[in-house]
Each structure stands twice: as structure tokens, then as C-alpha cells.
Amino acid sequence: ASKELHNKMGDNWDDSDDDWDNASDDLDAKLGLNKLSTEDDDAAPNFDDEEDIAVKEKERAAKASQAALKTKGNALKKKKELEEQRKMEEEVARQALEAEAEMEANMSTDERRALERQRVEEADNALTDDLFGGVDAKVQGGPGGGAMGAGDT
């Protein structure tokens, strides 16, 4: 008799698992939930109300990438514009030097010497202004020029 009782208890234990699984499937069916089953591997769970974080992250990364590319594009455009401007300035300076060289070629010896003295004097004045902060401008102003002398009140 104890052997029958032991077998019956084991059977009840095994049956209770099946009842539990069936109750879960019945509940899922009542709630309208789709579960992945082992027989049907193609069926996917239906989560329409949930947000896909990976998709949102991908969109956010794409927006950040677009903003970075736009910034880089604008920087590149500005760099090209500055390079073009520098080339134009170089061309103007080159043309000015060529015109000055041509003018010097047509000068007499005395005119060249006078031009050279004038350039040296202008360079010396520029150096003096750099060293002493524009002393020549104050001297040229004179008594009525706005610069105060030692005896002015």
C-alpha cells in the first residue's frame, strides 16, 4: 500500500506542473499575449506599445553626426574662403611689386637714390614708432596739435 501511495504522489506532482503550464497558456490567451512557442520559431512577440531604445539611440546618433558634419562643412567652407582671399591678396601684392619694379627701372640714377633714402627714412620712422610709441606723431602735432609740452598748462 505504501508503494501505491508513493507512486500516486509522484504522479500528482508531475500532473501539477502540466496544470500550471496550461493555466499560464490559458491566461495568455485570455489577455491576448503572443508567446514564443517552441514549435513555431517564426512567431515573434508583439510589443507595439514599447519604445525601441536602440532605434531612438540610432536616430539621436544620426542627428549628432549630421550636426557635426554640418559644422565641419561650414569650417571647411570658411577655410576655403580664407585661402581664396589670401591668394587674391598675394596676387594684388605681387602686381604692386611688379608695377613698382617697372617704375624703378624707368627712373634715373638720382631718382632711385632719392627713393632709396625715402624708404630707409620711412623704415627708421616705423622702427622708432614701434620702440617709443609714436613719438614722431606728438612732435609733428606742435603746440596746437593736442600733445602737451613741458610748459603747457
Side-chain angles (χ1 to χ4, degrees):
S2 71
K3 206 175 197 186
E4 280 182 27
L5 183 63
H6 182 58
N7 285 341
K8 190 173 188 181
M9 288 177 68
D11 288 342
N12 284 342
W13 182 258
D14 292 336
D15 289 344
S16 68
D17 285 343
D18 292 338
D19 291 340
W20 181 259
D21 290 338
N22 288 338
S24 177
D25 291 340
D26 292 340
L27 183 61
D28 289 341
K30 287 180 185 176
L31 293 175
L33 298 175
N34 291 335
K35 281 179 59 177
L36 286 176
S37 62
T38 55
E39 305 97 36
D40 188 16
D41 290 335
D42 294 335
N46 187 9
F47 299 110
D48 290 337
D49 59 337
E50 292 187 8
E51 299 174 358
D52 191 354
I53 296 173
V55 171
K56 286 191 172 191
E57 276 296 318
K58 189 175 181 181
E59 288 174 1
R60 194 175 305 127
K63 286 180 183 178
S65 175
Q66 286 287 28
L69 287 175
K70 187 175 182 180
T71 302
K72 287 181 182 179
N74 288 342
L76 182 62
K77 183 179 176 183
K78 189 171 186 173
K79 183 178 177 181
K80 285 185 178 183
E81 288 174 356
L82 289 173
E83 180 68 21
E84 191 67 33
Q85 183 180 0
R86 185 189 63 79
K87 284 182 181 179
M88 287 177 57
E89 289 173 358
E90 267 184 15
E91 181 65 23
V92 169
R94 186 186 60 77
Q95 289 176 354
L97 285 174
E98 286 178 359
E100 192 173 331
E102 185 178 332
M103 182 183 70
E104 285 181 26
N106 294 334
M107 287 184 177
S108 68
T109 309
D110 290 335
E111 289 174 331
R112 280 192 207 132
R113 285 186 197 141
L115 181 63
E116 186 62 30
R117 265 189 244 118
Q118 179 185 357
R119 286 183 183 161
V120 168
E121 189 174 322
E122 287 174 359
D124 288 344
N125 289 340
L127 286 173
T128 304
D129 287 346
D130 287 345
L131 290 173
F132 299 109
V135 174
D136 290 340
K138 291 180 183 176
V139 171
Q140 289 174 356
M148 291 188 68
D152 294 341
T153 54

